[in-house]
Amino acid sequence: MAKAALLAKPPVSERMRAIKRILWIILFLNLGVAAAKYIYGTLSGSAAMQADGIHSVFDSAGNVIGLIGIALASRPADESHPYGHAKFETYASLAIGILLLLAAFEVGSSAVVKLVSQNYTAEVTPVSFVVMIVTLCVNLGVTFYERRQGKLLRSEVLSADASHTLSDALVSVGVIVGLVFVALGFPAADPIVALVVTVAILATAYDVFKHALATLSDHARIPEDELERFVLNIPGVDGTHRIRTRGTEGEVYVDLHICVDEGMTVRAAHDLSERIEDAIKLNYPQVIEVLVHIEPDDGHVD
């Protein structure tokens, strides 16, 4: 089963091409959704619909940043970047988070102005609901597709963008609720919902920053106790310690120390280290490099 999963996993270059292809598809969908909501929001005077349209525009900008980040991340390792350029995907996620903060400011400030001036101009028509429901369905479809692909390809950009798009869908639900209240005679509900949009965008930005910083701070990618149990089951390994993992979700680096019989030959120890590397990569397809340090099992731990 594990071997089949490994064989099914595309090489890094193919993985990057798949991510690019997905980002292009979602970019065009987001642009269509943004245009529909913002244009009709402007025509009807709905602050919430305009805010939701702006949010969708920033979704599109995030796709562009993601494409740039993936283009940089797909470059091969060189002398100045011996571990490759994979973290550029993480930097792209951080840039998306910054765009979200800017979007939150734009949406929130517009809503506050309307509340303070009490200038409620939203007009609700059946077309308003049609536009919002259709764009909501598109957003939900994009979210589920992108999230599934993000998990399959272990892509930080796709996972972050999927969460962003989901927040856009939730915002659309809020806008629909706001339009209902406006139709019932509560015009102040429109800018109030726009403020809810702001909170949703800020929550999404927090989630994006949290995942990106986990990579940049070298957060452990595989639980140490889990990897220890796995390695100890490999014949020839008497003990293991100082297990460390780091990297992006899609490209993980592992280094560990193992204890072996002190009478083991250099050749046997070398062969064992290669078996350990192959076994880890087979069981954890996201691992691209394993460094094994051999130690004699003499009762002392270095």
Side-chain angles (χ1 to χ4, degrees):
M1 180 71 71
K3 185 174 183 180
L6 177 61
L7 294 175
K9 176 177 178 282
V12 173
S13 58
E14 178 58 33
R15 170 181 175 270
M16 293 299 185
R17 283 195 291 270
I19 294 173
K20 287 180 185 177
R21 184 166 57 250
I22 293 166
L23 285 172
W24 274 113
I25 293 172
I26 295 172
L27 170 61
F28 289 118
L29 288 173
N30 280 336
L31 286 174
V33 168
K37 289 189 287 192
Y38 188 79
I39 291 174
Y40 192 77
T42 301
L43 294 175
S44 64
S46 170
M49 284 189 71
Q50 291 178 50
D52 202 9
I54 292 173
H55 191 190
S56 294
V57 169
F58 277 91
D59 276 345
S60 303
N63 297 146
V64 174
I65 290 174
L67 285 166
I68 295 173
I70 290 299
L72 294 172
S74 61
R75 295 165 60 188
D78 52 37
E79 290 185 1
S80 59
H81 295 84
Y83 288 99
H85 299 77
K87 283 188 177 179
F88 278 100
E89 182 179 355
T90 306
Y91 295 141
S93 296
L94 282 176
I96 291 174
I98 293 173
L99 283 180
L100 284 167
L101 293 179
L102 294 175
F105 174 78
E106 175 68 23
V107 173
S109 60
S110 175
V112 169
V113 168
K114 281 187 174 287
L115 285 172
V116 172
S117 65
Q118 296 187 359
N119 182 24
Y120 310 131
T121 58
E123 296 180 4
V124 180
T125 68
V127 179
S128 303
F129 290 101
V130 171
V131 170
M132 291 307 303
I133 291 173
V134 170
T135 56
L136 172 61
C137 291
V138 173
N139 278 333
L140 288 175
V142 167
T143 297
F144 294 139
Y145 171 70
E146 193 172 17
R147 176 164 292 177
R148 184 174 64 250
Q149 293 300 314
K151 290 181 179 179
L152 178 65
L153 297 169
R154 298 183 183 275
S155 169
E156 292 182 9
V157 163
L158 291 182
S159 295
D161 200 47
S163 296
H164 189 190
T165 307
L166 176 60
S167 75
D168 199 19
L170 295 176
V171 165
S172 296
V173 173
V175 172
I176 293 172
V177 172
L179 291 176
V180 170
F181 277 104
V182 171
L184 293 175
F186 300 97
D190 182 59
I192 290 174
V193 169
L195 288 178
V196 175
V197 171
T198 302
V199 174
I201 296 174
L202 289 173
T204 304
Y206 169 78
D207 187 65
V208 169
F209 282 123
K210 181 179 70 174
H211 285 86
L213 292 176
T215 296
L216 296 178
S217 63
D218 285 335
H219 182 78
R221 286 301 180 188
I222 303 173
E224 181 179 347
D225 56 347
E226 176 186 328
L227 198 52
E228 180 180 16
R229 287 194 300 270
F230 176 77
V231 173
L232 287 176
N233 284 324
I234 299 175
V237 177
D238 294 341
T240 181
H241 59 280
R242 298 181 67 179
I243 298 174
R244 298 183 297 180
T245 60
R246 65 179 180 86
T248 65
E249 293 182 5
E251 296 187 9
V252 177
Y253 293 84
V254 178
D255 65 84
L256 71 161
H257 292 224
I258 64 166
C259 298
V260 301
D261 187 293
E262 58 183 1
M264 182 177 288
T265 65
V266 173
R267 169 56 62 185
H270 174 73
D271 292 343
L272 175 60
S273 67
E274 287 194 336
R275 289 201 304 274
I276 293 172
E277 293 174 18
D278 292 342
I280 291 176
K281 289 181 179 179
L282 188 64
N283 195 66
Y284 300 96
Q286 71 271 33
V287 173
I288 63 172
E289 185 175 307
V290 181
L291 179 61
V292 180
H293 180 75
I294 303 291
E295 296 179 0
D297 186 12
D298 55 5
H300 299 286
V301 179
D302 296 333

